[in-house]
Amino acid sequence: MMSSKNYILLVLAFLSLGCDTRSLKEIPKVPSGKLRYDIKHPSQKFFMPDELEEISGITYYKPGQIMCVQDEEGKVFLYNLNERKVSRRIRFAKDGDYEDLVSVGEEIYVAKSNGTLHHFVVTDDKMVNDDELDTPLTEDNDVEGICLDPVTQQLWIACKGDAGIKTDSLKGRAVYAYDLQSNTLNPKPVIFLASEDLESFVKPNLKQTKKKKVSFKPSAIAVNPLDKRIYLLAATGNLLVVLNRDGSIYEAIPLSPKVFRQPEGLCFSPEGDMFIASEGDGEVGYIVRFEYLK
């Protein structure tokens, strides 16, 4: 049974998200910019248990199931969307700064902030043996996001920090490709978003002319399964930036703190629905779903 303290926290969290008194599904959905999603009005909200207050990454695992990771424990959590609860917990490594994860069938890859990848296969056990995969990325790159690109079948890794590797000096944000066949990282970014390109696109489109610089530090990455565009989510800067396959900016949408307290995780269902996870920041962590507007 839920304690009175947790009940009060859930009520306060719900109110703090600026929810309409009507059912979420009854609120008319209007596409945000060029996107087929209404970023201001989620279709559903799922409140996480206390152990996922610091939820840092999500991946669509199976129908009705989201796999989550938080940035302090070497453990993944399987969240059942229909039952609205964590159905499984799997320990894969000792505690550490784990930022995101991706499911490739039953194989799971978890990204650590220092660039190390943890790989394991889901079994019926509560504990599994993982492999640590080293990459040239370091703490200076501050890895925050990982996803599977359905076109190339490579893992794409987004950096919140330095764009270049070691001595390479790149001003902007970079995404690197990790080849699953050779277990190697391409030292050249597969996607590079130059600071000046972001500035020139964002300021006139988002009317941020009062700011000298646009702050954008990606916290998650995902590829939309329907149009194959690349979605970059940033808690620092409160932006959702969508790129074409050539790396050019397709759209940039500001994120309301009323809906996204601290957006850290992003994934899509095969049908195109978008899920975004926010850390609790002292309150309850949660996941919001945005239906694909056909």
Side-chain angles (χ1 to χ4, degrees):
M1 182 178 294
M2 183 181 295
S3 67
S4 58
K5 178 183 177 181
N6 286 340
Y7 179 78
I8 292 173
L9 284 174
L10 283 176
V11 172
L12 291 175
F14 188 81
L15 293 175
S16 69
L17 291 175
C19 296
D20 196 291
T21 54
R22 296 170 291 170
S23 166
L24 292 173
K25 292 185 178 180
E26 293 177 354
I27 300 173
K29 302 295 189 295
V30 179
S32 300
K34 299 178 184 177
L35 306 186
R36 304 307 303 171
Y37 305 95
D38 186 343
I39 302 301
K40 294 182 179 179
H41 301 111
S43 301
Q44 286 180 298
K45 296 178 183 177
F46 306 90
F47 294 104
M48 299 293 103
D50 291 344
E51 57 194 332
L52 282 173
E53 177 187 327
E54 300 298 320
I55 185 170
S56 58
I58 57 176
T59 184
Y60 196 86
Y61 179 55
K62 290 181 179 179
Q65 299 180 70
I66 298 287
M67 189 173 285
C68 318
V69 70
Q70 56 114 302
D71 61 10
E72 294 180 350
E73 290 188 88
K75 187 187 298 184
V76 296
F77 303 79
L78 195 57
Y79 187 84
N80 188 304
L81 297 170
N82 297 319
E83 298 178 359
R84 291 177 173 266
K85 68 178 184 180
V86 172
S87 59
R88 284 194 66 191
R89 297 162 180 82
I90 304 173
R91 167 73 69 173
F92 66 89
K94 62 181 181 180
D95 294 348
D97 190 10
Y98 302 101
E99 296 295 344
D100 204 359
L101 78 169
V102 63
S103 166
V104 184
E106 295 300 321
E107 296 186 67
I108 307 299
Y109 293 84
V110 183
K112 211 170 181 180
S113 60
N114 64 3
T116 300
L117 303 182
H118 288 257
H119 165 255
F120 64 89
V121 178
V122 177
T123 67
D124 293 332
D125 299 324
K126 294 182 179 179
M127 295 184 65
V128 296
N129 295 320
D130 72 315
D131 299 315
E132 288 192 30
L133 309 174
D134 293 327
T135 75
L137 300 172
T138 68
E139 292 180 351
D140 292 334
N141 299 111
D142 196 0
V143 170
E144 284 271 336
I146 187 171
C147 73
L148 177 70
D149 175 38
V151 178
T152 64
Q153 289 298 303
Q154 296 173 326
L155 299 183
W156 282 11
I157 302 171
C159 298
K160 180 180 178 180
D162 292 350
I165 294 178
K166 296 181 180 179
T167 58
D168 292 343
S169 179
L170 297 173
K171 293 184 179 180
R173 299 301 172 202
V175 176
Y176 288 88
Y178 185 89
D179 186 81
L180 292 173
Q181 299 301 316
S182 62
N183 283 331
T184 57
L185 184 95
N186 188 332
K188 293 184 178 180
V190 64
I191 294 289
F192 177 68
L193 182 57
S195 298
E196 56 268 24
D197 292 340
L198 185 62
E199 290 274 344
S200 61
F201 184 94
V202 169
K203 280 191 174 181
N205 282 275
L206 302 185
K207 305 186 187 307
Q208 293 186 354
T209 53
K210 293 183 179 180
K211 294 184 178 181
K212 293 182 179 180
K213 289 187 177 181
V214 175
S215 179
F216 180 72
K217 296 182 178 181
S219 53
I221 182 173
V223 178
N224 190 308
L226 302 183
D227 60 25
K228 306 302 187 292
R229 289 192 175 93
I230 303 101
Y231 284 58
L232 288 170
L233 177 74
T236 302
N238 290 328
L239 280 176
L240 178 64
V241 175
V242 182
L243 307 176
N244 294 308
R245 296 295 300 184
D246 62 2
S248 60
I249 300 175
Y250 175 73
E251 185 61 286
I253 302 293
L255 302 178
S256 169
K258 291 184 178 181
V259 180
F260 309 94
R261 185 177 295 118
Q262 188 175 329
E264 296 285 346
L266 171 67
C267 70
F268 291 94
S269 72
E271 297 75 29
D273 287 353
M274 180 169 62
F275 296 83
I276 295 179
S278 284
E279 287 191 8
D281 193 23
E283 298 183 38
V284 179
Y286 59 91
I287 296 174
V288 285
R289 179 180 75 88
F290 298 90
E291 64 179 303
Y292 178 77
L293 303 177
K294 299 181 181 179

